[in-house]
Amino acid sequence: MKIVVTVKLVPDPNAEKRIDTSTKRLVRTGVETVLNPYDEYALEAALQLKEKAGGDTTVTVFAMAPESLKETLRKALAMGADDAVLLSDPALEGSDVWATSYAMSHALKKIGFDLLIVGGLSDDGSTGATPGALAEYLQTPLVTNVRKADAEGNSLKLERETDTGYQTVAAPLPCAITTALTFGEPRYASLKGIMGAKKKTIAPLTVGDLGLDREVGVSGSKTALLAANPPAARGKGQVVEAADGATGAKAIFDFLKERKLV
Amino acid sequence: MTIATRRAAPPDAVDFLGIDALLSDEERLIRDTVRGFVRERVLPDVATWFEEGYLPRELGRELGKLGLLGMHLSGYDCPGASAVAYGIACLELEAGDAGVRSFASVQGSLAMYAIYRWGSEEQKREYLPRMARGEAIGCFGLTEPDFGSNPAGMRTFARRDGSDWILNGTKMWITNGSIADVAIVWANSDDGIVGFAVPTNTKGFSASNIHRKISLRASITSELVLQDVRLPESARLPLANGLGGPLACLNEARFGIIWGAMGSARTCYETALEYSKTRVQFDRPIGGFQLTQEKLANMLLELGKGTLLALHLGRKKDEGTLHSSQVSFGKLNNVREALAIAREARTILGANGVTLEYPVIRHMNNLESVLTYEGTSEVHTLVIGAQITGIPAFT
């Protein structure tokens, strides 16, 4: 089974986010770039499947990102992916979900896969639309929010996390899934993994390799970001003067009850 | 001559000198991995471990899974990382707590290194892979109640009995002693100082923990008692001969301390810096007062210089040109300065600085041990003194 995991490279979620008002993009200078945390869960799912399936199962990581961020992908290889493919091209800059997933889908067709695992969300853009768009372009079924996966011959037995419990779903290969955070905590890269990662390949791809029949980048996008604003500043808290502990506790209880939190 | 005209970016408040750029991508990935592990696995609980005086046993397996135990050794399931990579790991572990770093130092640099350097092929195969995985724990018995800086005087004695050896003696201040599966024990004998890999379940071997420590509390420290411990010749480390055996191991561990101390120092500096920006007195953050800024600037100077020193000595170790007196230079300087940084940070935090709600006093107390273990600062001073004058002040 050939598993491909899509990985987005995002500014460190632990760092303070700033938006460049002229480009309306996240400021990346001075902020470390890391693997999108949701995609680490997708990679963990892939590595668990590989460990269970054994044999000739391989895990390839695919990213669309500037060439300068290539080394950030090394962490995915250190965690245990077999190889990586990096699609980089200045022509892709400013692509919206429409254009991004179009370019990505062509690259994924070129790479080929039995199972495509996509993180449920990106920490920076947070559209959550890419997995669906990819599945549509690739004409594969998509099962979202998967917490457990088992390969059974030429199909998958999957458990989907839902609000009320979970569903068991069968899907044929090839197919695409997104992972729930309950799939399992992403593993740490081991020292041996880190040292072995430098010998693994990160194959380059450019737009020219994809044979696209429409534009990508800003001109190939349908949507335009008009403004990116920080969240509204939090208002002043409500201060309640209470005569004693019991009155204070009642005030807190009433406050929570009013909002149906208790 | 070309004059650089590019505008320099303002430096980071912690990595002020941009030392990051001197590391390779792989070294940075190792650093980020260990830092992430410490953030998620050590920092949430370490104050409790310190308060209650223990280190969870499973942490050893987790460090083993990461590949940090004996990481700079090659073969026998050890990753064969560089000295700099090992140093970086020590720094990040100690940024969490010196007790955690001590665990890794003793396991990798003292116990595993002793077997790796002086052991037989059978001993290496028996112990090293399990120790690398953290399944077997090692300790290192050199110091005795009456012999610290003067290990040559040790009273523990190994007597030949036919083809066996009989060991008697006491070892003191032994990290991991009571949780160890194998103890490296150094003893005097009719043939001079010899070393043994002693399975801790051998009859006559016992270990009891030293209580009432107020330093390195998130670390097990024990006393080992050997009473007529009978060992076969195959338990002796065949290649160790004289005091050079244990001293070579100590040199390895000291190298890790040069880095580790800067981990403690970094955490103290970061904590004090953050606190100074949010703590308001006289209607302004205390970080805006000249006296506080002087303290912070002095801390930053020594943190930057000490980290550069560690990296320089690490690069020398990797190219094989690091002399043991240069290790003394590093340990003497970096532990002394880390302790000064911790104490200065404590004053910036005021009363909050003496509680375990903040990491500063924990690091400060830990560093009091680090200052004297693996060679006291006095001994390291005299090692340097002997090297530059050619006249040893002690024998």
Side-chain angles (χ1 to χ4, degrees):
Chain A
M1 181 168 47
K2 181 170 181 180
I3 306 173
V4 175
V5 181
T6 60
V7 165
K8 192 173 185 186
L9 306 181
V10 299
D12 187 349
N14 294 316
E16 198 186 332
K17 290 189 179 68
R18 282 181 301 127
I19 295 158
D20 184 325
T21 44
S22 60
T23 62
K24 302 184 200 83
R25 291 185 204 155
L26 277 175
V27 176
R28 282 179 179 268
T29 45
V31 181
E32 226 176 311
T33 302
V34 299
L35 302 182
N36 175 35
Y38 295 89
D39 299 342
E40 288 199 11
Y41 285 84
L43 178 56
E44 175 62 30
L47 296 173
Q48 282 185 25
L49 271 169
K50 179 182 162 158
E51 280 161 2
K52 271 195 282 186
D56 55 357
T57 299
T58 58
V59 176
T60 298
V61 166
F62 168 71
M64 178 176 127
E67 218 269 332
S68 58
L69 298 178
K70 183 177 164 187
E71 285 308 313
T72 309
L73 266 186
R74 202 68 69 178
K75 184 184 174 191
L77 298 174
M79 284 169 74
D82 296 289
D83 59 358
V85 179
L86 176 63
L87 171 62
S88 305
D89 205 306
L92 292 162
E93 275 179 37
S95 295
D96 67 353
V97 176
W98 171 264
T100 298
S101 42
Y102 174 70
M104 281 176 74
S105 64
H106 274 74
L108 288 164
K109 269 184 213 159
K110 204 173 165 66
I111 297 164
F113 61 87
D114 299 305
L115 172 62
L116 176 67
I117 310 185
V118 188
L121 201 65
S122 65
D123 186 77
D124 55 352
S126 301
T127 66
T130 307
L134 285 179
E136 176 63 23
Y137 278 125
L138 293 164
Q139 290 294 295
T140 62
L142 171 68
V143 182
T144 56
N145 225 22
V146 173
R147 68 170 203 180
K148 191 166 180 285
D150 284 296
E152 289 181 351
N154 217 18
S155 66
L156 288 175
K157 195 175 152 197
L158 305 162
E159 283 182 14
R160 284 192 71 238
E161 191 88 46
T162 68
D163 277 350
T164 49
Y166 68 92
Q167 301 170 336
T168 308
V169 178
L173 293 175
C175 85
I177 65 172
T178 68
T179 39
L181 301 188
T182 41
F183 206 107
E185 281 294 309
R187 65 196 59 196
Y188 293 102
S190 74
L191 199 68
K192 272 186 199 165
I194 292 172
M195 294 174 65
K198 66 182 164 201
K199 293 184 205 97
K200 294 179 178 174
T201 52
I202 301 178
L205 274 183
T206 62
V207 166
D209 299 321
L210 303 181
L212 304 183
D213 49 20
R214 62 175 220 232
E215 280 190 88
V216 288
V218 176
S219 54
S221 294
K222 297 244 182 192
T223 58
L225 183 62
L226 300 180
N229 306 304
R234 204 183 292 180
K236 255 206 157 137
Q238 184 184 334
V239 178
V240 178
E241 299 276 350
D244 53 42
T247 325
K250 174 132 189 5
I252 294 171
F253 180 76
D254 289 345
F255 177 85
L256 294 172
K257 199 172 174 194
E258 202 180 311
R259 284 157 183 78
K260 296 198 167 71
L261 292 169
V262 285
Chain B
M1 191 176 84
T2 325
I3 295 171
T5 49
R6 214 173 61 156
R7 230 178 81 200
D12 183 80
V14 180
D15 182 21
F16 200 81
L17 299 175
I19 298 170
D20 231 31
L22 302 177
L23 304 180
S24 69
D25 288 321
E26 182 178 295
E27 288 162 351
R28 275 194 288 269
L29 186 50
I30 291 170
R31 178 200 62 193
D32 292 345
T33 303
V34 182
R35 192 179 289 184
F37 174 80
V38 168
R39 184 172 57 226
E40 287 159 32
R41 190 61 188 90
V42 176
L43 293 184
D45 297 317
V46 68
T48 305
W49 300 341
F50 187 95
E51 191 164 21
E52 294 176 3
Y54 76 103
L55 191 70
R57 175 67 177 77
E58 66 268 19
L59 201 68
R61 283 177 201 273
E62 291 172 37
L63 291 168
K65 208 168 165 193
L66 279 175
L68 300 181
L69 302 177
M71 63 184 269
H72 56 313
L73 311 179
S74 303
Y76 309 98
D77 287 355
C78 300
S82 68
V84 169
Y86 172 63
I88 289 168
C90 286
L91 188 151
E92 293 301 333
L93 289 176
E94 188 159 334
D97 192 272
V100 178
R101 200 267 307 139
S102 295
F103 178 94
S105 284
V106 168
Q107 177 83 348
S109 281
L110 294 180
M112 290 175 74
Y113 183 80
I115 296 169
Y116 181 82
R117 175 88 186 263
W118 308 119
S120 65
E121 188 56 34
E122 291 70 31
Q123 288 166 341
K124 291 180 199 178
R125 278 207 293 259
E126 182 181 349
Y127 292 115
L128 293 180
R130 285 193 297 138
M131 292 173 84
R133 289 193 295 270
E135 290 166 11
I137 302 297
C139 69
F140 185 87
L142 176 67
T143 298
E144 298 189 354
D146 296 323
F147 294 89
S149 294
N150 178 22
M154 69 175 76
R155 289 203 189 103
T156 299
F157 197 84
R159 172 172 61 84
R160 274 191 189 276
D161 184 41
S163 63
D164 289 349
W165 294 86
I166 311 286
L167 269 66
N168 278 289
T170 305
K171 297 290 177 183
M172 195 69 173
W173 309 114
I174 308 306
T175 300
N176 296 348
S178 68
I179 57 167
D181 301 286
V182 57
I184 304 301
V185 173
W186 300 95
N188 250 317
S189 74
D190 290 336
D191 309 326
I193 289 173
V194 285
F196 295 89
V198 184
T200 54
N201 59 7
T202 310
K203 192 169 169 239
F205 179 97
S206 63
S208 53
N209 286 343
I210 295 168
H211 297 291
R212 309 185 79 182
K213 285 183 300 172
I214 50 174
S215 174
L216 284 183
R217 288 184 53 76
S219 175
I220 311 284
T221 314
S222 314
E223 177 184 17
L224 311 182
V225 176
L226 299 108
Q227 197 168 12
D228 294 327
V229 172
R230 177 179 288 273
L231 295 167
E233 167 65 12
S234 63
R236 190 172 66 84
L237 300 173
L239 303 177
N241 180 17
L243 201 55
L247 293 188
C249 303
L250 289 176
N251 216 37
E252 288 295 302
R254 286 166 188 160
F255 170 76
I257 293 171
I258 296 172
W259 289 81
M262 287 299 108
S264 283
R266 188 186 74 200
T267 298
C268 291
Y269 166 74
E270 282 176 328
T271 308
L273 177 63
E274 195 49 42
Y275 190 88
S276 77
K277 292 195 287 187
T278 51
R279 170 73 173 173
V280 173
Q281 288 292 284
F282 305 104
D283 300 324
R284 60 197 296 216
I286 60 171
F289 291 108
Q290 292 184 4
L291 288 178
T292 309
Q293 288 193 359
E294 187 195 23
K295 288 177 186 180
L296 291 169
N298 283 337
M299 290 158 75
L300 180 63
L301 291 185
E302 296 309 328
L303 176 62
K305 289 192 281 185
T307 310
L308 271 180
L309 171 60
L311 183 58
H312 172 66
L313 296 179
R315 297 282 185 230
K316 280 182 74 63
K317 188 165 165 61
D318 277 326
E319 62 181 34
T321 59
L322 182 64
H323 188 264
S324 59
S325 63
Q326 292 168 321
V327 175
S328 290
F329 184 111
K331 197 215 169 217
L332 174 63
N333 182 78
N334 281 13
V335 181
R336 181 163 77 188
E337 296 307 330
L339 189 53
I341 288 170
R343 287 175 177 157
E344 199 79 296
R346 215 293 292 160
T347 67
I348 291 176
L349 268 72
N352 279 317
V354 304
T355 76
L356 284 173
E357 296 302 312
Y358 290 88
V360 173
I361 195 127
R362 180 165 50 79
H363 283 292
M364 185 174 120
N365 280 14
N366 285 342
L367 285 164
E368 290 289 350
S369 293
V370 181
L371 187 69
T372 51
Y373 77 8
E374 316 276 344
T376 64
S377 46
E378 289 81 358
V379 166
H380 288 301
T381 304
L382 297 181
V383 167
I384 295 169
Q387 193 65 40
I388 56 181
T389 62
I391 312 165
F394 65 100
T395 49

